[in-house]
């Protein structure tokens, strides 16, 4: 039987990560957080003191790296770096790193290989457009800017991260702009993706909606 690929796109704060993780557990699929892969390369770039402008060496690092997802953790060259890739230092440089076109090619290839023989739920900003435009299950998760900023604000408070609601809102707006204006892999809502506006839905309601569709068509 052919393996299944569920592709989820959406802007920052749309809940795609949380939803994808719960869905993967519920369906017994492998969860692939593609943002974490870009973060892994950003982490390696910092660790090796490579300048952000040194694209050749950043691409070389990616070519020589092994990235795996095991039990929802990211292993970089056999070491679990799930925590290290979430630091502020990594977050600051991951956007420019993810704009390096040759690096995107390498990571997109890795993502396609990861889904070759397993059922996967893959989440990121170019999954329905670039990585798996022909996936059977394509979803675009969305919510209003205000709601997405509210979610991030609450999340930050629970993690003890200090930022005002206005700061977060401006940051998300900026990320929306960057994500939709990337030269390659820009965030776009395709007409063949199922659109889910989660502004007034709980995480569980979104999970249920997607789960029903996957199960109905299975
Ligand atoms: O979702 P996140 O914050 O962990 O993503 C980290 C960065 O990687 C963010 O700047 C967007 C970028 N990204 C990307 O360009 N393509 C993807 N498929 C996933 C993330």
């Amino acid at each position: 039987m052919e393996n299944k690929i569920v592709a989820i796109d959406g802007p920052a704060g749309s809940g795609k990560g949380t939803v994808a993780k719960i869905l993967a557990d519920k369906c017994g699929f492998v969860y692939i957080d593609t943002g974490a892969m870009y973060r892994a390369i950003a982490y390696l770039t910092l660790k090796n003191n490579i300048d952000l402008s040194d694209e050749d060496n950043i691409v070389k690092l990616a070519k020589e790296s092994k990235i795996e997802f095991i039990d929802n953790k990211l292993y970089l060259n056999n070491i679990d770096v799930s925590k290290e890739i979430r630091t502020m230092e990594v977050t600051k440089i991951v956007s420019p790193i993810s704009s390096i076109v040759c690096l995107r090619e390498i990571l997109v290839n890795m993502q396609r290989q990861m889904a070759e023989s397993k059922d996967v739920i893959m989440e990121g900003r170019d999954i329905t457009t670039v990585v798996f435009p022909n996936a059977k299950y394509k979803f675009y998760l969305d919510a209003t800017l205000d709601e997405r900023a509210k979610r991030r604000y609450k999340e930050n408070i629970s993690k003890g991260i200090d930022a005002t609601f206005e700061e977060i809102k401006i940051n998300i707006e900026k990320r929306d702009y960057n994500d939709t204006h990337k030269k390659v892999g820009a965030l776009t809502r395709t007409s063949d993706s199922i659109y889910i506006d989660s502004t007034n839905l709980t995480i569980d309601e979104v999970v249920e909606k997607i789960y029903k569709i996957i199960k109905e068509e299975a």
Side-chain angles (χ1 to χ4, degrees), residues 198-211:
S198 71
T199 306
N200 297 307
L201 298 176
T202 63
I203 295 283
D204 285 346
E205 284 169 333
V206 179
V207 168
E208 253 339 284
K209 250 179 194 280
I210 299 181
Y211 184 72

Side-chain angles (χ1 to χ4, degrees), residues 34-35 38-39 86 94-95 98 104 124-126 175 182:
T34 59
Y38 289 94
R39 286 173 179 272
R86 302 281 159 199
V94 67
S95 184
S98 73
R104 297 198 71 86
R125 291 163 182 80
D126 61 345
R175 276 176 73 173
K182 266 201 186 112

